[in-house]
Coordinates of all heavy atoms in Angstrom, one line a residue:
Chain B
H1339 N 7.7 -4.5 -0.6 CA 6.8 -4.8 0.4 C 7.3 -6.0 1.2 O 8.0 -6.8 0.7 CB 5.3 -5.0 -0.1 CG 4.3 -4.8 1.0 ND1 3.3 -5.8 1.1 CD2 4.1 -3.9 1.8 CE1 2.5 -5.3 2.1 NE2 3.0 -4.2 2.7
L1340 N 6.8 -6.1 2.5 CA 7.0 -7.3 3.3 C 5.8 -7.5 4.2 O 5.2 -6.6 4.6 CB 8.4 -7.1 4.1 CG 8.8 -5.7 4.5 CD1 8.8 -5.6 6.1 CD2 10.2 -5.7 3.9
E1341 N 5.7 -8.8 4.5 CA 4.5 -9.2 5.4 C 4.9 -10.5 6.1 O 5.5 -11.4 5.6 CB 3.3 -9.7 4.3 CG 2.1 -10.2 5.0 CD 1.1 -9.1 5.4 OE1 1.6 -8.1 5.8 OE2 0.0 -9.5 5.6
F1342 N 4.7 -10.3 7.5 CA 4.9 -11.4 8.4 C 3.9 -12.4 8.4 O 2.7 -12.0 8.2 CB 5.2 -10.9 9.8 CG 6.5 -10.3 10.0 CD1 6.6 -8.8 9.7 CD2 7.5 -10.9 10.3 CE1 7.8 -8.2 10.0 CE2 8.8 -10.3 10.5 CZ 9.0 -9.0 10.4
T1343 N 4.2 -13.8 8.7 CA 3.2 -14.8 9.0 C 2.5 -14.3 10.2 O 3.1 -13.5 11.1 CB 3.9 -16.1 9.2 OG1 4.9 -16.0 10.1 CG2 4.3 -16.5 7.7
P1344 N 1.4 -14.8 10.6 CA 0.6 -14.3 11.6 C 1.3 -14.1 13.1 O 1.2 -13.1 13.8 CB -0.5 -15.3 11.8 CG -0.8 -15.8 10.4 CD 0.6 -15.9 9.8
R1345 N 2.1 -15.1 13.4 CA 2.8 -14.9 14.7 C 4.4 -14.6 14.4 O 5.1 -14.6 15.3 CB 2.6 -16.2 15.5 CG 1.4 -16.2 16.2 CD 1.2 -17.1 17.3 NE 0.7 -18.4 17.0 CZ 0.8 -19.4 17.8 NH1 1.3 -19.3 19.1 NH2 0.2 -20.5 17.5
G1346 N 4.7 -14.4 13.2 CA 5.9 -13.8 12.7 C 7.2 -14.7 12.7 O 8.3 -14.2 12.7
H1347 N 6.9 -16.0 12.5 CA 8.1 -16.9 12.4 C 8.8 -16.6 11.1 O 10.0 -16.9 11.0 CB 7.7 -18.3 12.6 CG 7.0 -19.0 11.6 ND1 5.8 -18.7 10.9 CD2 7.3 -20.1 10.8 CE1 5.4 -19.4 10.0 NE2 6.3 -20.3 9.9
E1348 N 8.0 -16.2 10.1 CA 8.7 -16.0 8.8 C 8.1 -14.7 8.2 O 7.1 -14.2 8.6 CB 8.4 -17.2 7.8 CG 9.2 -18.5 8.2 CD 8.8 -19.6 7.3 OE1 8.0 -19.6 6.5 OE2 9.6 -20.7 7.5
V1349 N 8.9 -14.1 7.3 CA 8.6 -13.0 6.5 C 8.8 -13.1 5.1 O 9.6 -13.5 4.6 CB 9.3 -11.7 7.2 CG1 10.8 -11.8 7.0 CG2 8.8 -10.4 6.5
W1350 N 7.7 -12.6 4.3 CA 7.8 -12.7 2.8 C 8.1 -11.4 2.3 O 7.4 -10.2 2.8 CB 6.3 -13.2 2.4 CG 6.1 -14.6 2.6 CD1 6.2 -15.3 3.7 CD2 5.4 -15.6 1.7 NE1 5.8 -16.6 3.6 CE2 5.3 -16.8 2.3 CE3 5.0 -15.4 0.4 CZ2 4.7 -17.8 1.7 CZ3 4.3 -16.7 -0.2 CH2 4.2 -17.8 0.5
V1351 N 9.0 -11.3 1.3 CA 9.5 -10.0 0.8 C 9.3 -10.0 -0.6 O 9.7 -11.0 -1.3 CB 11.0 -9.9 1.2 CG1 11.6 -8.6 0.7 CG2 11.2 -9.9 2.7
S1352 N 8.8 -9.0 -1.2 CA 8.7 -8.9 -2.6 C 9.8 -8.1 -3.2 O 10.0 -7.0 -2.9 CB 7.4 -8.3 -3.1 OG 7.2 -7.0 -2.6
A1353 N 10.5 -8.8 -4.3 CA 11.5 -8.1 -5.0 C 11.2 -7.9 -6.4 O 11.3 -8.8 -7.2 CB 12.8 -8.9 -4.8
R1354 N 10.7 -6.7 -6.7 CA 10.0 -6.6 -8.0 C 10.9 -6.9 -9.2 O 10.5 -7.7 -10.1 CB 9.6 -5.1 -8.2 CG 8.8 -4.8 -9.4 CD 8.7 -3.3 -9.7 NE 9.9 -2.7 -9.9 CZ 10.2 -1.5 -9.6 NH1 9.4 -0.7 -9.0 NH2 11.4 -1.0 -9.9

Side-chain angles (χ1 to χ4, degrees):
Chain B
H1339 197 222
L1340 25 119
E1341 175 89 331
F1342 283 91
T1343 54
R1345 283 199 266 169
H1347 77 301
E1348 290 177 352
V1349 57
W1350 289 43
V1351 177
S1352 57
R1354 184 192 67 207

